[in-house]
Amino acid sequence: MQWLPHVDKLIIEMLSNRTPPSCIQKNILAMARVIFPNQDIVRELPSLRHIRNLNTSLLLVTKTLAAFQYASATAKQIRQVHADATSRRQEELLCFIVAIEKDDVLRSLCMSCSIMARDKSAASQVEAIMASFPEFRRLLDNWRAALVELYPTRVDLHALIPPSNEVSVAKLNGTTITTDTCNVATSFRRQWKDEITRYCRDEMKMTQDSINDLGKILDGDCWQHMRNIIFNGIEIEMKKYLTDLLEEDIANIPSIYRVDFGLGNNSRCVDKEWGITCNYAKGHGSSFIRWMHTERSGELLMPIVRALGGTRQDGPFEAALPTYMNRHYYVGFLDYYLKGSDKENILQYNLFLTLRCNEMTAQLRVAAILHVAIVIPMRWLAGKTHELAKYNWGERSMSRVLDLVYDVFVELEADGSKGVDADYMLNIFSSIGDEVEPFKKYLEYMFEEKESNVVDSKRRETRVLSMDLAVAELFWPTRVENRQTTPMCKTLFERAGSRAMAECIDPTKQLHHHLSEIHGAKSWVEVSEEDKKASLGIRANNDPAESAFAVYSDSFEQGQTIRQDNAAGKGQSRFNKDFFRAELKSLVTGKKSIEEDDENHDANVSGTWHSLCEELQNALILASKRDSARERNKFDEALEQQRIAREEVLDNKRQKDLAKTEESYIDATYLWQQYHSERCAKTPKDAWDAYNACTSETGKKGKLPYVKEQIHMRYLGLGWAEAYHAYSKDGYKYKSIELMEHFVKTVLPLADTLEVPDQPALELPTLSEKLTSMKLGTVSLDFEALSTMEEDTETKFRKDALIKRRELQDEGKGDELEQMQTYHWPEEKLKNYSEDMRDEDRFKIDMLFHRADDTNVWAQGTIIKVFRINKNEAVVNIKWNEEHVEGDEVTKEKLLRSKWNPDKPGSRAWREELRHKIWQIE
C-alpha cells in the first residue's frame, strides 16, 4: 500500500534524527497514545521493510536539497570546495562539500558523502565527482516532474525549483579547492582544476574570457594536516633519540612490558589506565578517582586527553600537558596500587617504568611546551581563518604562521635553552595578535582566564586558573623532579628544532611550498596580492569534509548492518541540518539543553526541508520513493565496479610479479648452468687466476663484471643468500678487489656447508617459512592438497619459463652455449696441446662461418694440432665433423682471441662446443 505523505515525512525526519528503524513503529504508537490518550488515531503502522527502504528516500531527499541550494546560489557565493576520501568495509567513498557565503557568513553544504570512485587514483576520484553533477541535475528534474504531476496547474510552485542547469560545474571557477596534503589529494586538486576548465571550455562551449571572468581556481592546503606534519616528525625524532640513548636499559627490560618512548604510545597507555571514559577492562580510572578524592582533595587534576578513539599526529603533544601536570599523581597511585596487588599488570608496569624515567618526563615537558606555545595558537588560526577577513587575515596568511614557526625552530636548533624561556616561547605569535584582535583575546583567555574545577569541588569560588598554573609549572617548575628535566629538555628542543626544520623544507611535503625562507610558490613573499585577497573569508582547513565523514561514521556505527549509502544519507542530512526545527530554541527549557549555533547553521533558522511548503515536500517525497530502487542499484553497481577494479589491481600486480619472477628465473637458469661449467671458479687459485687475467676494471671482460658474475652464480643461480654483497653503500661503490675478497673468503667456502640445488633458485609467491614452520596439531588434508597443488604449479612454472627461454633464444635474445664458455679464451688449454692426446681430451670447437648464400652457420669440429700460439691468436688444424664437411675434412684456421665467444658473433667467431650441455626440456 502507499502511505500518505505525512507518515513518510514523519519517518524520514525520525531517521534523520538517528532513530533506529526498529524503534520507529513503537515510538509513533507511544507518542500517539501519550499525547492523545482518549483518541484511537493509529489504525495501522508501516512495516519495518518500508521504514528501512525510506533510508534510501532520505538519502535522495538530502541530496536533492543540496542540489536545490547549490542551484539557488550564485557563482560569487560559492567560495570554497572541500573533498576527502574514507574507507568503510574495505570500500572507498568520497565526500564533496561546497562553502556558500551569505550575509558575510560562510556555511558548508555537503553535496554528497557517498560518491564511489572506481579506484583510489586521483583521476578516478575526479571522474566520480564530475559524474555527480548530472546526477544532481537529474534529481532536480525528478522533483519538478513529481511536482507537475501532483499540482499541474500550480505554475507558481513550479518556479520555486531552480532550473537543473544551475547545478553547473562553471560555478566552481573562482573557488578554492581544499583537501588534505597527501600525494593523492594534491594530485586530485591539480587534476580537478584542469578538468573544470576543460569541461567549461569543451562541454559548455565557454570562451576562455568567460571562464576567466568567473575567477581563478586556487588550491588550498589543510593547515591542520600541515601542522601535524611538523609534530609527527618531532615525535619520531625525540623517540629515536631517547631510544638510542637508553638502548641498554631498554634491552634489559622484558619486551612483554612494551616500554616505548613514543608520545603516542604513552598517551594511549595513560588513557587506558586512568581515563574515566575509556572502556578498557584492565584500566583503573574509577579506582584512581577514588584515590584522588582520598589523597588529593582540593588539588587540580587536568582532564586526560582521549587517545583511543582516533587521533591526530599532534594529539600526543596535547596529551603530554595533562600527563606532565598529573604525573606525580599517577606515580603516587601506581606506588600505592602495585604495593597492594599480587597480580602483574603489564599496563601498570609499563607506566611505572616510563613515568619514573627523568628522560620521559623531559620529553613530556618539551611536548607540552610546544603544545602551549605553537599547537594551540596554530589550531585556533587554522580553525578561525574564514572568520577573520575584516582583519585582513585569509587562508594564504597561514604561510606567515609557518614562517614564524620555522624561525623559532631555527633558534631552538642553535640554542635549546630558549625552549624553556617563557618570554620567548609565549610570544611567538605576538605580531599576529597585534593585528588580529580575536586571536589575541583567545590567547589571553586560554592562558590567563580559563578556569577548571579541583578535585571534590565544582563550586565557582574554588576554581583555579588551570592553564596559568600549567604554564608556570612548564617554564618555572616548582616540583624538584620537573626542575631535574631542564638539561635534557634543552637537548630535546635542539633535536626537535632540527627535525622540524627538515620537515619544513622537505621537497616531498606540502610545507615547503609555503615557506618564505626558500621562496616557496605559496609563501607569503611569493603569493600575489590578488591571491591574498581571494583567500580572505575562506577556510584554512579541511574540517567540513572531516566533519561530514564523522556524522556518516556515527550513523554507520549506530546501524552496524546499515547500507553504506543509507548511512551516508543520514549523516549528510544531519551535517546539512536539513530537518532542524528552529522552534526548539523557544520550546526547550534548561541550560544547554538544545543545539546551539554552529558555524554551519544558524539555530534561529529551520533546516531547508522545513523551509519548503507542503506541496514541495510532498513532491520531493514522491520523487525520492520512486527513485529509491534505482539509487540502491546504482550504488551497488558502483560498489561492484570498485571491487572489480581492486581485483584487477591485485591481478595486474600478480601478473607483473610473475613476469618478474619468470625473468629472474630465466636469468637464474643461465647462472645455474654457468656454475656447472668451466666458467665457474671453484677454488681460490682458479678465481685469482681468472681475476688477474682481466686487463681492465670495468670493461667487457673486466675484473668487476667477472667477480659480480661469480657471486651471482651462487646468490641468484643457486639461491645462496649468504653469498650476497651490496655493490654500493651510502654513495660509495665497492671496487672489484673488495668484492673479490668477499668472494674468496665468504662465498667459495659456502660450497662446503650448503647444498647445491638440482634446479635453479626460484621464489614463487608462497606462505612465509616462519608461518609454515610452526605446527599446531595435525595438518588438515585440504591444506596438504594445497601444498601438492603448489608443487605442481612450481613444476609447470619452471617448464613454461624454460620454453619461454628457448623462444627468446630463437629470437636471438640469450644463448646458453655462450653463457657456459670460460670467461677468458682457452690459452692455457691450447698451449698444453699435444698430438698424442686422447680424442676425448681434445678441444671441441664451435666456429661460425658466413656462407655464400649470406647465411651464418655454426660448424663443429676437433682441434687436432696447434702450430703456434701467442697472447692474441692461435694457429691450429681442425678436423670438422662429417655433417659440416663441404671441402677438406681438415683445415688450418687462425683462432683470434678477439673472436672468442663474443656477445654478437660474426664470421670466424669461435667457442668450445658444449651442445651436450644444452638444457633439455622434459
Side-chain angles (χ1 to χ4, degrees):
M1 65 174 291
Q2 289 293 325
W3 291 94
L4 293 175
H6 69 275
V7 177
D8 290 333
K9 285 190 282 186
L10 174 60
I11 294 172
I12 284 177
E13 187 165 352
M14 293 178 75
L15 288 170
S16 177
N17 291 332
R18 304 174 67 196
T19 307
S22 59
C23 298
I24 286 179
Q25 297 161 328
K26 303 178 183 69
N27 288 350
I28 292 175
L29 185 59
M31 285 187 293
R33 292 289 188 255
V34 170
I35 297 173
F36 302 100
N38 300 318
Q39 298 181 43
D40 188 14
I41 64 172
V42 177
R43 301 296 177 82
E44 194 171 0
L45 288 169
S47 68
L48 185 58
R49 180 178 181 182
H50 177 77
I51 294 171
R52 285 175 173 162
N53 284 341
L54 285 178
N55 273 316
T56 308
S57 299
L58 171 61
L59 168 66
L60 290 167
V61 166
T62 190
K63 287 170 67 174
T64 306
L65 292 176
F68 171 77
Q69 293 175 78
Y70 183 96
S72 301
T74 66
K76 294 293 184 183
Q77 289 177 317
I78 299 176
R79 296 291 315 281
Q80 196 168 11
V81 181
H82 301 271
D84 199 6
T86 192
S87 180
R88 294 292 185 278
R89 296 176 185 160
Q90 301 85 49
E91 312 295 350
E92 187 92 356
L93 289 94
L94 301 173
C95 75
F96 165 35
I97 292 171
V98 295
I100 300 175
E101 187 177 61
K102 290 183 179 180
D103 302 324
D104 295 327
V105 177
L106 197 68
R107 304 288 189 191
S108 296
L109 173 68
C110 180
M111 300 296 293
S112 176
C113 54
S114 58
I115 298 174
M116 299 287 295
R118 193 171 190 274
D119 55 51
K120 295 182 179 181
S121 68
S124 182
Q125 292 176 355
V126 170
E127 181 183 356
I129 288 186
M130 291 296 289
S132 69
F133 278 84
E135 180 66 15
F136 294 136
R137 290 193 285 269
R138 190 186 67 81
L139 291 175
L140 282 183
D141 288 336
N142 287 353
W143 186 11
R144 180 179 291 101
L147 184 64
V148 171
E149 179 183 339
L150 292 176
Y151 312 100
T153 62
R154 294 291 303 276
V155 180
D156 57 323
L157 293 178
H158 306 167
L160 295 177
I161 301 177
S164 61
N165 60 12
E166 286 297 321
V167 185
S168 171
V169 175
K171 288 184 177 181
L172 299 181
N173 286 287
T175 64
T176 297
I177 299 175
T178 301
T179 65
D180 62 30
T181 59
C182 70
N183 291 334
V184 173
T186 53
S187 176
F188 166 82
R189 285 201 307 253
R190 292 192 300 270
Q191 293 187 42
W192 198 12
K193 284 168 60 177
D194 294 342
E195 180 60 18
I196 291 170
T197 302
R198 185 208 66 77
Y199 185 88
C200 292
R201 183 185 63 247
D202 298 345
E203 305 296 330
M204 301 185 66
K205 308 302 180 184
M206 295 175 63
T207 64
Q208 191 61 48
D209 289 340
S210 300
I211 296 173
N212 294 339
D213 288 342
L214 292 171
K216 177 183 177 183
I217 302 176
L218 301 178
D219 62 321
D221 289 302
C222 175
W223 280 90
Q224 309 287 24
H225 287 82
M226 300 276 273
R227 181 187 65 252
N228 288 336
I229 292 173
I230 298 174
F231 285 92
N232 183 52
I234 293 174
E235 181 186 358
I236 292 171
E237 180 64 28
M238 292 197 297
K239 175 184 176 180
K240 181 179 183 302
Y241 174 74
L242 293 179
T243 301
D244 292 343
L245 180 68
L246 302 176
E247 182 179 7
E248 291 185 9
D249 290 348
I250 295 173
N252 291 328
I253 298 173
S255 60
I256 191 175
Y257 299 129
R258 304 167 193 171
V259 172
D260 185 339
F261 278 103
L263 286 170
N265 181 68
N266 179 260
S267 65
R268 288 188 291 272
C269 289
V270 168
D271 193 9
K272 285 181 177 181
E273 175 64 13
W274 293 298
I276 298 300
T277 60
C278 176
N279 185 25
Y280 186 68
K282 297 181 181 179
H284 298 85
S286 59
S287 298
F288 173 66
I289 292 300
R290 286 197 300 273
W291 181 85
M292 286 293 297
H293 286 315
T294 303
E295 303 292 333
R296 302 290 183 172
S297 180
E299 296 188 19
L300 171 66
L301 176 67
M302 295 195 76
I304 292 171
V305 173
R306 290 184 297 169
L308 298 175
T311 184
R312 303 171 303 273
Q313 283 90 340
D314 65 1
F317 289 78
E318 180 182 6
L321 179 60
T323 303
Y324 173 78
M325 290 296 292
N326 299 340
R327 178 193 161 278
H328 58 291
Y329 302 142
Y330 297 157
V331 171
F333 173 78
L334 288 172
D335 180 69
Y336 160 79
Y337 202 90
L338 290 173
K339 284 179 180 177
S341 174
D342 56 358
K343 293 183 179 180
E344 182 176 290
N345 185 302
I346 293 174
L347 176 61
Q348 289 186 327
Y349 277 33
N350 173 287
L351 287 165
F352 180 82
L353 290 167
T354 54
L355 291 180
R356 74 173 184 173
C357 171
N358 174 66
E359 288 80 5
M360 186 66 190
T361 306
Q363 183 182 205
L364 290 169
R365 185 181 173 192
V366 168
I369 289 174
L370 291 174
H371 175 69
V372 167
I374 298 177
V375 173
I376 289 177
M378 283 189 74
R379 277 187 184 176
W380 190 90
L381 287 169
K384 293 291 185 178
T385 288
H386 61 290
E387 300 177 8
L388 304 175
K390 69 177 181 179
Y391 300 98
N392 202 33
W393 183 271
E395 186 267 347
R396 289 297 191 252
S397 304
M398 289 300 296
S399 296
R400 292 176 56 193
V401 175
L402 181 63
D403 291 340
L404 291 173
V405 170
Y406 180 80
D407 291 342
V408 168
F409 285 121
V410 171
E411 294 291 332
L412 289 177
E413 183 194 37
D415 181 7
S417 65
K418 288 191 174 183
V420 291
D421 182 344
D423 289 337
Y424 180 72
M425 294 299 289
L426 296 180
N427 287 290
I428 295 171
F429 302 103
S430 58
S431 60
I432 297 176
D434 293 339
E435 299 175 29
V436 184
E437 185 180 357
F439 177 56
K440 185 176 183 179
K441 288 183 176 180
Y442 169 76
L443 295 181
E444 289 174 352
Y445 164 75
M446 280 294 295
F447 301 125
E448 299 176 21
E449 302 173 15
K450 186 176 182 180
E451 296 179 341
S452 297
N453 292 320
V454 296
V455 176
D456 270 343
S457 176
K458 293 185 179 181
R459 300 193 308 273
R460 180 175 293 275
E461 59 269 22
T462 61
R463 290 180 181 177
V464 296
L465 300 173
S466 55
M467 287 301 291
D468 185 56
L469 291 173
V471 168
E473 189 61 30
L474 287 171
F475 291 102
W476 305 282
T478 57
R479 300 190 63 84
V480 62
E481 67 271 17
N482 293 338
R483 292 199 299 271
Q484 180 189 3
T485 65
T486 300
M488 176 56 66
C489 285
K490 294 176 181 178
T491 301
L492 290 176
F493 271 121
E494 290 170 3
R495 306 287 296 202
S498 176
R499 180 58 181 261
M501 290 169 57
E503 295 291 341
C504 290
I505 62 175
D506 186 342
T508 67
K509 297 174 182 176
Q510 288 297 305
L511 282 166
H512 82 284
H513 291 303
H514 295 266
L515 189 62
S516 296
E517 178 73 16
I518 56 176
H519 292 273
K522 299 180 187 176
S523 65
W524 187 248
V525 297
E526 294 294 329
V527 172
S528 68
E529 291 300 321
E530 179 187 1
D531 286 0
K532 290 177 182 177
K533 184 177 179 180
S535 76
L536 296 175
I538 65 172
R539 298 180 186 276
N541 57 57
N542 202 32
D543 288 359
E546 304 281 356
S547 300
F549 276 139
V551 289
Y552 159 70
S553 296
D554 180 72
S555 300
F556 188 79
E557 291 164 7
Q558 181 197 29
Q560 296 295 322
T561 59
I562 190 174
R563 288 173 56 93
Q564 295 186 61
D565 52 344
N566 290 344
K570 284 187 175 183
Q572 182 178 338
S573 70
R574 288 174 55 209
F575 179 88
N576 291 340
K577 291 191 166 36
D578 290 326
F579 294 89
F580 178 76
R581 292 179 179 270
E583 58 264 35
L584 276 173
K585 193 167 188 177
S586 60
L587 295 174
V588 180
T589 60
K591 187 178 180 181
K592 291 186 177 180
S593 56
I594 62 168
E595 288 187 80
E596 297 184 352
D597 292 5
D598 64 32
E599 57 187 13
N600 283 330
H601 190 263
D602 182 355
N604 293 309
V605 179
S606 291
T608 307
W609 171 258
H610 295 298
S611 69
L612 302 176
C613 63
E614 183 180 0
E615 293 85 353
L616 287 176
Q617 290 180 352
N618 293 342
L620 184 49
I621 290 289
L622 176 61
S624 299
K625 287 174 66 176
R626 284 177 173 174
D627 209 24
S628 292
R630 178 188 179 278
E631 179 70 14
R632 286 191 290 269
N633 291 336
K634 182 171 70 69
F635 187 83
D636 291 343
E637 183 181 343
L639 272 178
E640 184 62 23
Q641 288 301 313
Q642 195 175 95
R643 290 165 185 158
I644 291 172
R646 189 163 57 245
E647 288 301 317
E648 286 177 353
V649 170
L650 292 175
D651 288 342
N652 289 338
K653 182 181 182 301
R654 290 190 193 100
Q655 293 303 319
K656 287 181 180 179
D657 290 345
L658 285 175
K660 288 181 180 178
T661 301
E662 183 181 65
E663 184 178 338
S664 299
Y665 180 70
I666 289 173
D667 291 340
T669 60
Y670 287 123
L671 292 166
W672 188 85
Q673 285 181 290
Q674 287 179 336
Y675 182 83
H676 293 86
S677 71
E678 292 186 32
R679 193 180 184 94
C680 179
K682 300 290 179 64
T683 66
K685 181 180 182 306
D686 291 343
W688 283 113
D689 287 348
Y691 176 83
N692 292 326
C694 299
T695 56
S696 66
E697 175 73 6
T698 59
K700 179 182 175 183
K701 297 290 184 180
K703 295 178 178 179
L704 191 60
Y706 169 76
V707 67
K708 283 184 177 181
E709 184 179 81
Q710 293 296 322
I711 293 174
H712 281 167
M713 289 180 199
R714 281 79 174 177
Y715 174 56
L716 299 177
L718 305 184
W720 291 355
E722 296 85 347
Y724 174 77
H725 192 290
Y727 295 145
S728 63
K729 185 178 181 180
D730 299 331
Y732 173 76
K733 293 183 178 180
Y734 289 105
K735 297 180 176 62
S736 66
I737 188 63
E738 295 170 309
L739 295 177
M740 190 64 184
E741 291 288 342
H742 167 74
F743 174 66
V744 172
K745 294 179 180 179
T746 302
V747 180
L748 280 177
L750 293 176
D752 299 328
T753 58
L754 298 179
E755 182 181 352
V756 177
D758 57 2
Q759 295 185 90
L762 171 63
E763 290 188 10
L764 282 172
T766 184
L767 295 173
S768 69
E769 184 178 346
K770 179 181 178 181
L771 180 62
T772 54
S773 63
M774 294 183 284
K775 183 182 178 183
L776 182 63
T778 304
V779 177
S780 61
L781 293 176
D782 59 342
F783 187 80
E784 289 186 353
L786 288 173
S787 300
T788 302
M789 188 184 302
E790 188 175 292
E791 293 173 3
D792 295 340
T793 300
E794 179 180 329
T795 301
K796 184 177 185 304
F797 183 89
R798 289 181 185 274
K799 183 176 181 180
D800 290 346
L802 289 173
I803 294 172
K804 177 70 175 293
R805 188 180 86 154
R806 180 65 53 82
E807 293 172 353
L808 291 172
Q809 288 179 349
D810 292 342
E811 296 172 8
K813 300 173 183 177
D815 184 347
E816 58 188 308
L817 294 177
E818 173 200 333
Q819 296 291 326
M820 291 186 287
Q821 305 297 320
T822 56
Y823 196 74
H824 300 292
W825 79 306
E827 182 178 5
E828 292 302 318
K829 279 188 178 182
L830 297 178
K831 278 183 178 180
N832 299 323
Y833 223 73
S834 63
E835 293 186 38
D836 58 351
M837 293 176 69
R838 293 182 304 170
D839 186 65
E840 58 266 26
D841 294 331
R842 294 181 185 275
F843 189 91
K844 306 299 187 296
I845 193 170
D846 203 8
M847 180 174 280
L848 186 66
F849 289 96
H850 187 73
R851 289 178 167 176
D853 60 0
D854 206 29
T855 59
N856 294 323
V857 62
W858 285 96
Q860 293 77 49
T862 303
I863 296 177
I864 58 177
K865 183 176 183 180
V866 177
F867 292 101
R868 67 175 188 277
I869 183 171
N870 57 41
K871 64 179 182 179
N872 291 320
E873 63 181 28
V875 179
V876 300
N877 266 353
I878 299 175
K879 180 180 179 182
W880 299 104
N881 293 356
E882 186 174 334
E883 65 269 22
H884 299 297
V885 175
E886 294 183 356
D888 297 332
E889 183 182 1
V890 177
T891 62
K892 190 175 186 180
E893 303 289 345
K894 182 185 289 186
L895 306 180
L896 299 178
R897 177 182 180 178
S898 60
K899 294 282 189 178
W900 166 255
N901 195 37
D903 292 337
K904 297 180 180 179
S907 181
R908 301 286 172 173
W910 62 288
R911 60 193 182 190
E912 187 172 1
E913 203 290 291
L914 298 174
R915 280 174 170 73
H916 59 286
K917 290 190 175 184
I918 287 179
W919 200 315
Q920 302 299 320
I921 302 175
E922 297 179 1

